[in-house]
Amino acid sequence: MKTQKWNFYSIIMIIAAMSAFSCSDDDNETGSNPDPTATTKYAVGFQTLPVAQAGPVDYMLQLNSLESLTTGELTVEGQGIPQTGWRFFHQAGNTIFTAGYVEDRTCISYQLDENGELKKKTDFVYQTTLNNYLTVDDKTLLAVELAFGVSDPDATSIPDRSFYEINAETGQVDRIISHPVDSSVGDGTAANPPYLPWITGMVVRDGKLFLSYHKYFPDGNGNAIAVDKAYIAVLKYPEFELEKLIEDDRTSSIGTNGPSTGIEQTENGDIYSYSSSSLTSGISGATKPSGVLRIKNGETDFDTTYFFDVENAANGGKIYWMDYIDNGKALARVVLDDTLGQWVAFREQGEQLKLVVLDLINKTVTDVQGIPPHANRYSSPTFVEDGKAYISARTGELLNESSTNTADGETYVYIVDPATATATKGAKINGYALKGIFKVSK
C-alpha cells in the first residue's frame, strides 16, 4: 500500500489550486473573459459541394478550437461567411486574406473583432488575377498578379508582372511594383519564341527575392515552353532590382499552377524547389525527372552537388504538390498515374494522388500510412501545430467531363505526423476541401 505524506506546504498548494479552480468556474459561468487580448480562434477556407448552383462556393468558417478539426463533422450549413466564386486563402500575421480567381477580382481581409469574432476588415480590387503569394513577415503579404497571355497577338512587348505588397494590419495595398522578371518577344522562330513568366513560388532571404517561374507562350492558352529546365530570378528586395537569372537542366520547370509554392526556405536558410514533370499536373512535354533542387544558405545559385530524384526513388513518383514542414521533412502529393490526362491532378474528387514524406537531407520517400489515395486541388501553406500537419483529402469517383457524381465522395481532415509518416483521420468535411487552415489572435 502506497503511503502519502502530507505537510504544511502541500496543504497550502491544495488550497491555492482549489481557489484557482473556483475562479475559473466563475469565469465560465458568467461568460467573462479576463484577458480579451489573448483571444485565439481557428478558421478554415471551406470549399463546398455545389449548393443550388452549378459549382462549389467557398466560405470562411470560424472554429473555436483545434479539436473541431479532429472529430465530428464540419459544415457551413447555417453558418460561415460565403465568398464570391473560387478563391485563394492566405494569412499574414493575424489577418486572413481571400482573393477571387476569375469571377471576383477582389481581395478581402478578415480579422478578429473586439468580441473575438472573425469579421471583414476591408478589401481592394485588382485587374487580372492574384495567383501566387508569400507571407514575407507578420506585417506583409506579397502577391503577384498574373495573366497567361497578352490581349494583342501582335504585341511587340510583354507586360510586366505586378507585385502587390499588402499591409496585414490594414488589409490594404501599400505599393504595387511592376517588373518584367524574364520576358521575351523573340523573333517568332522555334529557337527564339516569345514568352512571359508565370510565377510559381517566392522566397525572401537576406534582402533578396527568389522567384521560380514557368515560361509560357503569350497566346493565353497556358502552353509552356522550355519545360526541361528549372528557372529562378533573383531580385534585390525590397528594391525589386534584378540581380541574376539562374537555371538548372537536371529537372523541369519549378512548381505547378496554384496548389502550392514551388520554392520554400528551411530553418537553416536553405531554399528547396520542386519540379513536377507531370502531364497530369499540367506540365506538358517534360522529359527530365521530377525532383528537388537546393540553393544553399548564403548562395544565389543552384547547388550542383545536390539533386533529389524523387521520381526514381523508392516509393517515389512525380510530384504534384510539396510543402515544407520542419526538421528537413516535407509533405508531398505524388501522382499515381501520369497517363490520366493533362490537369487531371487538379480534379476535386478522385484517387489520383498519394501522400508521402520527403526527407530532403537523406533523399528518401516514405508513404504516409493511414491516408488513402485521394484528391486535393489546392490548399494554402500547410497548417502545422505541435509538429503535426493538418490537411484535407477527398476520395471517390474521379470527376471528369462525363462523370460529375459526388455522391460516393468523402472528405476528411487528416492529422499527419511527418516524423513517423503516419496520419490519423479527423473531422468529416461536408464539402470538397479545406483550402486553408488558420490560427488568429486578438
Side-chain angles (χ1 to χ4, degrees), residues 11-33:
I11 295 172
I12 293 298
M13 292 298 292
I14 292 171
I15 293 173
M18 292 177 64
S19 175
F21 182 76
S22 175
C23 292
S24 176
D25 279 354
D26 288 345
D27 290 339
N28 289 337
E29 287 174 6
T30 60
S32 63
N33 188 345

Side-chain angles (χ1 to χ4, degrees), residues 173-184:
V173 178
D174 281 344
R175 64 172 179 156
I176 301 175
I177 310 96
S178 296
H179 197 284
V181 183
D182 179 13
S183 305
S184 172

Side-chain angles (χ1 to χ4, degrees), residues 313-335:
N315 303 315
K318 296 187 177 185
I319 305 169
Y320 167 67
W321 164 96
M322 186 184 89
D323 225 342
Y324 183 73
I325 306 300
D326 59 15
N327 296 320
K329 303 283 180 51
L331 290 181
R333 287 185 167 102
V334 169
V335 175

Side-chain angles (χ1 to χ4, degrees), residues 332-397:
R333 287 185 167 102
V334 169
V335 175
L336 289 170
D337 183 355
D338 202 39
T339 67
L340 294 174
Q342 194 167 11
W343 305 107
V344 172
F346 290 79
R347 305 280 170 81
E348 279 99 345
Q349 180 177 296
E351 298 175 356
Q352 61 268 37
L353 305 170
K354 71 172 182 175
L355 189 71
V356 301
V357 173
L358 302 182
D359 186 326
L360 301 176
I361 307 302
N362 297 305
K363 301 181 184 177
T364 60
V365 183
T366 305
D367 291 344
V368 175
Q369 303 300 312
I371 180 170
H374 61 275
N376 188 280
R377 177 175 180 177
Y378 169 83
S379 62
S380 293
T382 305
F383 179 78
V384 180
E385 187 157 294
D386 296 329
K388 304 295 192 299
Y390 292 72
I391 64 172
S392 72
R394 184 170 180 82
T395 59
E397 181 182 356

Side-chain angles (χ1 to χ4, degrees), residues 32-284:
S32 63
N33 188 345
D35 186 11
T37 62
T39 299
T40 298
K41 295 288 178 69
Y42 294 82
V44 297
F46 195 108
Q47 186 183 20
T48 68
L49 297 168
V51 180
Q53 48 188 297
V57 176
D58 288 345
Y59 279 72
M60 181 72 75
L61 178 63
Q62 178 181 305
L63 308 174
N64 290 326
S65 70
L66 190 61
E67 284 69 32
S68 299
L69 294 170
T70 64
T71 186
E73 181 175 286
L74 288 179
T75 180
V76 293
E77 291 184 7
Q79 60 182 337
I81 307 170
Q83 308 291 297
T84 303
W86 200 96
R87 306 184 76 81
F88 292 103
F89 293 78
H90 286 272
Q91 178 178 9
N94 286 307
T95 303
I96 302 171
F97 295 89
T98 83
Y101 187 64
V102 176
E103 295 91 341
D104 177 26
R105 292 167 182 165
T106 304
C107 183
I108 307 170
S109 59
Y110 292 89
Q111 297 174 352
L112 295 182
D113 66 10
E114 61 276 8
N115 298 316
E117 299 298 315
L118 196 65
K119 299 293 183 182
K120 177 181 175 180
K121 172 73 174 179
T122 186
D123 62 49
F124 65 87
V125 177
Y126 41 91
Q127 296 301 310
T128 55
T129 181
L130 298 179
N131 196 67
N132 200 269
Y133 302 80
L134 169 68
T135 301
V136 177
D137 52 39
D138 286 346
K139 295 183 179 180
T140 306
L141 180 71
L142 184 64
V144 58
E145 188 176 39
L146 299 172
F148 270 129
V150 296
S151 57
D152 181 4
D154 299 318
T156 57
S157 65
I158 302 296
D160 291 351
R161 308 296 85 185
S162 294
F163 294 84
Y164 286 61
E165 277 191 342
I166 306 165
N167 189 308
E169 296 177 348
T170 66
Q172 291 293 309
V173 178
D174 281 344
R175 64 172 179 156
I176 301 175
I177 310 96
S178 296
H179 197 284
V181 183
D182 179 13
S183 305
S184 172
V185 293
D187 58 13
T189 65
N192 188 25
Y195 65 84
L196 55 76
W198 180 276
I199 309 300
T200 61
M202 300 187 284
V203 164
V204 169
R205 187 191 70 186
D206 300 330
K208 301 182 190 300
L209 174 62
F210 295 79
L211 302 170
S212 62
Y213 60 97
H214 294 181
K215 293 182 177 182
Y216 278 106
F217 285 109
D219 57 8
N221 293 322
N223 296 312
I225 66 169
V227 296
D228 277 339
K229 286 186 179 181
Y231 304 99
I232 286 182
V234 184
L235 283 66
K236 290 183 180 178
Y237 182 82
E239 297 86 352
F240 276 88
E241 296 174 3
L242 180 66
E243 283 198 351
K244 62 197 302 187
L245 301 174
I246 62 175
E247 60 185 44
D248 197 300
D249 62 4
R250 290 174 291 176
T251 185
S252 63
S253 51
I254 294 170
T256 49
N257 178 21
S260 65
T261 180
I263 55 175
E264 295 187 76
Q265 183 177 183
T266 63
E267 302 93 327
N268 68 353
D270 289 346
I271 294 173
Y272 288 89
S273 67
Y274 83 89
S275 296
S276 176
S277 301
S278 164
L279 179 67
T280 301
S281 302
I283 311 300
S284 176

Side-chain angles (χ1 to χ4, degrees), residues 248 250 271-273 291-296 302-310 328 359-364:
D248 197 300
R250 290 174 291 176
I271 294 173
Y272 288 89
S273 67
V292 177
L293 297 171
R294 178 173 69 186
I295 301 173
K296 296 183 72 174
F302 289 112
D303 181 357
T304 58
T305 68
Y306 179 93
F307 178 57
F308 182 5
D309 185 344
V310 175
D359 186 326
L360 301 176
I361 307 302
N362 297 305
K363 301 181 184 177
T364 60

